[in-house]
Amino acid sequence: MYDFSISADQSPDILYDDLTTAARALTDGEPDAIANMANVSALIWQYVPDLNWAGFYRVMEDELVLGPFQGKSACIRIAIGKGVCGTAAATNQVQRVADVHAFPGHIACDADSRSELVVPVCKDGRVIAVLDLDSPLPDRFTAADETGMTNLVAAIANGLG
């Protein structure tokens, strides 16, 4: 059993350091990428406030396929280059979107989502998945969230694919 002492009431730097340490503990020594994605999704869901979706899409040939997540049912397949997730996968660049309705080609899997943060997961120089976080609040994600999640993903990427 894992018991983490993480508080969302602390500074973002400390929150993301604690989340990264916990994510490493959850994935260390576990070779199954799906199990690791499931645990990391649950960890983020539990400790990051104001989310309505947290999870992964896996790169499968020329599209993203839904992976482990927390939240409402979601789109199952997204073409690489389409929507926020597909753009992150195609460009290998983090997408931090203050208003998803203003994003060209946004795919509305959940009409309640207002802002989104998508972080590419890279292994051996290629994108193997994306971590997708949605919030019902406009402009929810900050530069500190982007940096924190980017560092978390980099720390555990080898266990995700």
Side-chain angles (χ1 to χ4, degrees):
M1 182 176 98
Y2 296 98
D3 184 21
F4 302 113
S5 296
I6 299 173
S7 172
D9 295 333
Q10 54 197 345
S11 77
D13 289 343
I14 293 171
L15 169 65
Y16 285 110
D17 284 348
D18 288 350
L19 281 173
T20 300
T21 298
R24 281 186 177 129
L26 288 169
T27 60
D28 186 44
E30 175 51 58
D32 189 277
I34 299 299
N36 289 334
M37 288 179 186
N39 262 339
V40 171
S41 297
L43 178 75
I44 291 168
W45 182 258
Q46 183 175 0
Y47 292 110
V48 177
D50 301 319
L51 299 180
N52 62 333
W53 204 89
F56 291 89
Y57 279 92
R58 301 170 301 130
V59 174
M60 308 290 286
E61 297 180 19
D62 61 345
E63 61 187 350
L64 295 170
V65 178
L66 181 64
F69 70 93
Q70 300 286 312
K72 292 181 182 178
S73 299
C75 299
I76 296 172
R77 296 180 184 274
I78 298 173
I80 301 289
K82 301 295 182 187
V84 181
C85 289
T87 299
T91 63
N92 190 14
Q93 294 181 342
V94 173
Q95 300 294 308
R96 180 165 43 110
V97 180
D99 178 4
V100 294
H101 301 296
F103 189 90
H106 169 65
I107 301 167
C109 296
D110 179 356
D112 292 336
S113 292
R114 297 290 311 277
S115 59
E116 191 166 3
L117 177 65
V118 181
V119 179
V121 178
C122 293
K123 186 173 179 182
D124 301 326
R126 63 181 181 87
V127 177
I128 60 166
V130 298
L131 171 63
D132 181 22
L133 305 177
D134 293 359
S135 175
L137 304 177
D139 205 19
R140 155 63 185 89
F141 301 104
T142 65
D145 294 312
E146 180 177 335
T147 299
M149 285 298 173
T150 300
N151 291 340
L152 184 153
V153 163
I156 62 167
N158 284 338
L160 301 180

